[in-house]
Amino acid sequence: MCGIVGYVGPKRASDILLAGLASLEYRGYDSAGIAIAEEGRVDVTRRVGKLANLSAAVAADPPAGVIGIGHTRWATHGRPNEENAHPHTDCAGRIAVVHNGIIENYLELREELVAAGHTFRSETDTETIAHLLESLYEGDLTAAVAAALRRLHGSYAIAVLHADHPGTIVAARLDSPLIIGVGEGENLVASDIPAVLRHTREILVLEDGEVATVDANSVTVVDRDGAPVVSERMHIEWDLDAAEKGGYEDFMLKEIHEQPRALRETLRGRVGDDGLIQLSELDMTDEQVRSIDRVFITACGTSFHAGLVAKTLIETWARIPVEVVVSSEFRYRDPLVDDRTLVVAITQSGETADTLAGVREARQRGGKVIAITNVVGSRVTRESDGVIYTHAGPEIGVAATKTFTAQIAALYVLALYLAQTRGTLDREQIGGIWAHLQDVPGHVETILSDLSAVQECAAVYKDRYSSLFLGRGIGVPVAMEGALKLKEISYIHAEAYAAGEMKHGPIALITSEVPVVVVATASDTYEKVVSNIQEVRARGAEVISVATQDDHDIAKHSEHVLYVPEVPELLSAILAVVPLQLLAYYIAKYRGCNVDQPRNLAKSVTVE
Ligand code: M6R
């Protein structure tokens, strides 16, 4: 995915575009560029690498123009070099385009345009849009964009600038997010809210197929048939502080520390005066809930791990069989979804292409789809039957942390609600679990109040090339999440296994150089976990255990112990993952890695 920003108003556009791109850089950071319209021409500046390279180039010769578009790229078509960086222009250099998404028929269009005499300078699909616009433009930019969209297949959010229209940006979207920030005498276009928040809290969310013509004093939106659309304005309550570092060294560390608040916000208001769990968002009658005979959970990456935690919760408490399928596989496996299936789509961004495709597939088959997401108004909220929001606030670090634990909190609520409605847990049992759940945010605060053990451990293992993560039961997805965090931000190879599986193969990897991280919190299988620890230690491995406070025995079996407060086994996932997030964070920091923007990754993946 990439970041898009556009500005038209009375101020110097380059300043606003660069600041906007800085808040979108988490969406992609292979290259960045801006185009400014001024004195009847469009000037483009692009640089490979981080935004700082572009900022330095612009600072050397700042353009005075008051209208422009900008882009930060996560490469899909074409390598991350300057030619492939956005904005892309037509042959005459009078039209500039920034684009997020993929144009699937770009090769066919490119051939056609080359045959008509157009000269291409990049390997990208996006450049096709600029030349297509050049071929269709007859004096009306909005009409040219609308005509071009009719030829494009795929997904896109675009913003377009033309030298002939130095007061207008035309923007459009299909399957890729795009918002308009509505200001006083100035307007903005962006792929995400933080890019406009310095200027306005009033936004319009463009819908699929819509085209917006944005001037300094007006925004006109038409649908794919050209009919005028009255878009509903949204007022954004959260402020920029929530999307800035607030004194922390990195967004990731800030977001790890925001987990107690995210958990409290996500659990807030979920139990009524009658002691019953409330979940009106499910929008199902009790009869419908009782008739569910299967749950599918579909998600990617960290959200998939939250889904694996939920499987244990729903099966244990509500006694419904649950299958958890990575979204990129879900729709291709002819899933057994019908009108008695509940499909839970977990996606913090709400814009992951594979998960959205799974949602569409499930609904087509008659399934009831409930989304769990952190982003109000995101794509998944529009495509699902119901939405449970995690109230974690904006997550900017590419590695998901607070949204993961908030997803699990939301899934506790869902699992308890299903159990309550189906009568598989009684009110007293639910009350007991809920009371423990209420303590979890405070327990996370306790873990975060002393980082010395995890820092010490990170310093010891920072230079290893490989690691194993083991767990049992609900500890398996925790181990998987710990391994994912470590590999994505520190680039150390990390593999997670159900601890009992280890002797069936992965134990061959064990040497004294490969540390083994074990989720060994109090559980019914604790003794077996300890046996697994002994198996790896017998082969020379050093063990880092995540264990329950006051478990002094575990220290005899481990080189390092990261303690977490005691909770019932099924509530332990949130607590056990926090030391693993911190371990990954400090190892990456000690290795000098950029934890907020790890190589090759983007915050959400809007392409399949
Ligand atoms: O926005 P989503 O929750 O749908 O994103 C899913 C994954 O792309 C995401 O969790 C990814 O694995 C993160 N980099 C994990 O830290």
Side-chain angles (χ1 to χ4, degrees):
M1 81 178 183
C2 309
I4 288 176
V5 64
Y7 173 81
V8 51
K11 301 174 192 146
R12 191 155 74 173
S14 60
D15 296 344
I16 291 167
L17 297 180
L18 290 172
L21 289 178
S23 49
L24 292 179
E25 207 183 3
Y26 69 94
R27 297 180 67 95
Y29 32 82
D30 292 335
S31 57
I34 58 170
I36 305 286
E38 205 185 355
E39 294 171 358
R41 53 171 215 279
V42 171
D43 293 327
V44 174
T45 313
R46 305 181 293 186
R47 287 296 180 271
V48 180
K50 294 283 162 65
L51 184 60
N53 300 348
L54 176 69
S55 302
V58 173
D61 185 14
V66 293
I67 178 169
I69 54 177
H71 188 267
T72 175
R73 178 169 189 246
W74 184 68
T76 55
H77 290 74
R79 284 155 295 160
N81 58 25
E82 200 162 306
E83 289 71 43
N84 291 333
H86 299 216
H88 288 282
T89 51
D90 62 329
C91 298
R94 298 187 62 75
I95 301 173
V97 180
V98 290
H99 166 223
N100 179 17
I102 288 184
I103 304 303
E104 286 164 4
N105 59 335
Y106 84 102
L107 283 175
E108 172 193 323
L109 289 170
R110 187 174 169 131
E111 263 175 41
E112 178 187 317
L113 289 158
V114 168
H118 291 260
T119 305
F120 280 70
R121 293 171 293 259
S122 78
E123 303 160 308
T124 66
D125 51 344
T126 305
E127 193 184 346
T128 314
I129 306 174
H131 292 283
L132 187 60
L133 285 170
E134 184 176 31
S135 70
L136 294 167
Y137 178 71
E138 289 173 349
D140 180 338
L141 186 58
T142 308
V145 170
L149 300 188
R150 287 194 278 277
R151 303 273 338 260
L152 302 178
H153 303 162
S155 64
Y156 50 77
I158 59 171
V160 180
L161 202 60
H162 195 304
D164 289 355
H165 301 270
T168 305
I169 297 170
V170 179
R173 68 162 278 181
L174 184 74
D175 284 344
S176 227
L178 201 64
I179 59 145
I180 313 286
V182 183
E184 298 282 330
E186 60 183 3
N187 288 311
L188 296 102
V189 174
S191 41
D192 206 353
I193 295 167
V196 307
L197 269 190
R198 272 185 197 82
H199 310 282
T200 180
R201 283 160 179 273
E202 300 300 313
I203 67 158
L204 305 178
V205 179
L206 277 197
E207 297 290 343
D208 276 349
E210 291 181 350
V211 180
T213 306
V214 183
D215 298 341
N217 293 303
S218 68
V219 178
T220 314
V221 182
V222 294
D223 67 15
R224 61 180 89 217
D225 302 319
V229 173
V230 182
S231 311
E232 207 179 305
R233 276 201 197 189
M234 280 171 68
H235 180 78
I236 303 304
E237 298 293 346
W238 48 272
D239 57 24
L240 207 56
D241 281 356
E244 287 184 343
K245 288 185 194 161
Y248 286 93
E249 237 178 279
D250 325 85
F251 282 113
M252 184 178 173
L253 189 61
K254 173 181 175 244
E255 288 157 4
I256 288 173
H257 281 269
E258 284 173 343
Q259 291 182 103
R261 188 164 62 96
L263 291 167
R264 287 194 180 99
E265 291 296 323
T266 304
L267 295 173
R268 188 195 301 280
R270 288 299 176 186
V271 174
D273 295 340
D274 51 7
L276 293 175
I277 302 285
Q278 323 252 333
L279 195 57
S280 55
E281 296 94 324
L282 202 54
D283 197 24
M284 287 171 90
T285 63
D286 289 359
E287 198 41 55
Q288 285 171 321
V289 172
R290 282 192 280 269
S291 75
I292 296 169
D293 63 4
R294 176 199 301 264
V295 174
F296 266 110
I297 298 179
T298 186
C300 304
T302 289
S303 298
F304 172 71
H305 300 155
L308 292 174
V309 173
K311 173 180 168 68
T312 303
L313 305 178
I314 295 173
E315 289 187 342
T316 309
W317 290 339
R319 309 305 294 158
I320 315 173
V322 180
E323 221 182 310
V324 192
V325 188
V326 285
S327 304
S328 51
E329 294 294 322
F330 177 72
R331 78 176 166 135
Y332 298 109
R333 49 177 271 176
D334 197 5
L336 294 167
V337 173
D338 61 25
D339 60 359
R340 297 181 65 183
T341 312
L342 176 67
V343 178
V344 183
I346 310 174
T347 164
Q348 76 78 23
S349 62
E351 57 172 286
T352 298
D354 285 322
T355 305
L356 290 169
V359 165
R360 287 175 205 133
E361 181 71 31
R363 287 186 86 193
Q364 224 165 37
R365 289 169 184 258
K368 174 93 178 174
V369 177
I370 182 103
I372 296 188
T373 186
N374 196 42
V375 180
V376 176
S378 58
R379 186 82 221 153
V380 80
T381 65
R382 287 144 199 272
E383 300 216 10
S384 305
D385 297 301
V387 182
I388 305 176
Y389 282 109
T390 50
H391 298 281
E395 187 175 71
I396 308 294
V398 163
T401 52
K402 64 175 177 173
T403 55
F404 175 64
T405 47
Q407 284 167 349
I408 296 177
L411 289 160
Y412 280 125
V413 175
L414 175 64
L416 288 173
Y417 180 80
L418 294 175
Q420 169 182 285
T421 310
R422 295 165 72 93
T424 47
L425 291 180
D426 62 30
R427 198 179 287 219
E428 203 180 319
Q429 289 169 308
I430 291 175
I433 295 169
W434 190 258
H436 284 294
L437 205 46
Q438 292 292 99
D439 292 337
V440 166
H443 291 326
V444 175
E445 270 160 6
T446 306
I447 298 169
L448 294 172
S449 65
D450 182 2
L451 305 178
S452 54
V454 77
Q455 287 167 336
E456 201 178 297
C457 192
V460 173
Y461 297 107
K462 71 178 174 49
D463 294 320
R464 301 301 168 89
Y465 63 90
S466 184
S467 58
L468 276 186
F469 283 67
L470 304 177
R472 278 178 178 259
I474 209 157
V476 177
V478 173
M480 290 168 81
E481 178 58 10
L484 177 62
K485 287 290 90 86
L486 186 66
K487 71 183 117 183
E488 69 181 336
I489 61 169
S490 77
Y491 317 134
I492 294 176
H493 170 248
E495 257 188 88
Y497 272 93
E501 261 306 280
M502 193 209 28
K503 55 187 169 297
H504 299 287
I507 201 160
L509 296 171
I510 299 291
T511 70
S512 58
E513 284 304 301
V514 179
V516 180
V517 180
V518 185
V519 180
T521 43
S523 73
D524 288 349
T525 52
Y526 174 79
E527 301 300 334
K528 298 214 179 299
V529 172
V530 172
S531 304
N532 298 136
I533 291 178
Q534 281 159 348
E535 287 159 11
V536 293
R537 289 188 98 210
R539 280 140 185 104
E542 294 187 5
V543 168
I544 303 156
S545 291
V546 176
T548 306
Q549 203 67 52
D550 298 332
D551 175 1
H552 300 300
D553 275 354
I554 198 79
K556 296 182 206 143
H557 307 291
S558 318
E559 274 60 38
H560 297 266
V561 185
L562 305 173
Y563 283 109
V564 298
E566 182 165 8
V567 286
E569 182 177 351
L570 288 190
L571 303 191
S572 63
I574 290 178
L575 299 188
V577 83
V578 176
L580 301 186
Q581 296 169 340
L582 289 162
L583 185 65
Y585 172 82
Y586 283 110
I587 287 180
K589 286 299 281 185
Y590 297 159
R591 288 165 72 86
C593 301
N594 181 338
V595 296
D596 284 340
Q597 295 175 349
R599 72 180 175 217
N600 303 339
L601 294 177
K603 182 63 185 163
S604 72
V605 183
T606 53
V607 290
E608 281 184 52

